[in-house]
Amino acid sequence: QVQLVESGGGLVQPGGSLRLSCAASGFTLDYYAIGWFRQAPGKEREGVSCISSSDDNIYYADSVKGRFTISRDNAKNTVYLQMNSLKPEDTAVYNCATVFECTPSGVRSGANDYWGQGTQVTVSA
């Protein structure tokens, strides 16, 4: 069964850190470009970051650049999103997904992407 499972979300104070994990089962993640997306209530889904299958392309949205770091551990079949200096505006449901394309300019979803169920991140005092 092909599955992506996110974990690591939670409640954190402004300025705090969280590390999200995106673990794959049923397929090998290192053959895919992986993206992290988020959606806050009442807002459109935003592509936050992505990493290409060869790790030579990485993208960050301007809103998270310098604070978030994406990485992958192929041995664990997992992609991570380290989030530092969190702000209340980072509050959202975060999803990982295989993506059609990851370039330094952006992330593009495809029709056949795999998506996880999402993990809630809440940044609040």
Side-chain angles (χ1 to χ4, degrees):
Q1 181 182 3
V2 172
Q3 199 172 12
L4 284 173
V5 178
E6 301 96 336
S7 62
L11 173 64
V12 65
Q13 291 186 342
S17 298
L18 286 173
R19 188 177 78 159
L20 304 185
S21 299
C22 173
S25 59
F27 69 106
T28 303
L29 261 186
D30 54 342
Y31 295 141
Y32 293 84
I34 303 297
W36 282 98
F37 300 83
R38 68 185 181 186
Q39 188 166 21
K43 294 189 176 181
E44 290 188 358
R45 188 177 67 199
E46 173 188 19
V48 173
S49 180
C50 66
I51 184 167
S52 63
S53 59
S54 57
D55 295 359
D56 56 355
N57 283 334
I58 288 179
Y59 163 78
Y60 297 104
D62 287 343
S63 56
V64 306
K65 203 170 292 184
R67 301 187 297 120
F68 290 11
T69 303
I70 192 170
S71 63
R72 68 164 83 222
D73 184 337
N74 291 334
K76 295 183 178 180
N77 215 23
T78 299
V79 170
Y80 302 99
L81 186 68
Q82 178 67 42
M83 306 187 298
N84 298 329
S85 303
L86 283 162
K87 304 175 181 180
E89 51 263 44
D90 294 318
T91 295
V93 174
Y94 285 71
N95 292 85
C96 65
T98 61
V99 296
F100 177 73
E101 185 178 60
C102 175
T103 72
S105 301
V107 53
R108 192 151 58 111
S109 299
N112 298 314
D113 292 338
Y114 303 128
W115 286 81
Q117 83 291 346
T119 186
Q120 176 71 45
V121 172
T122 303
V123 185
S124 175

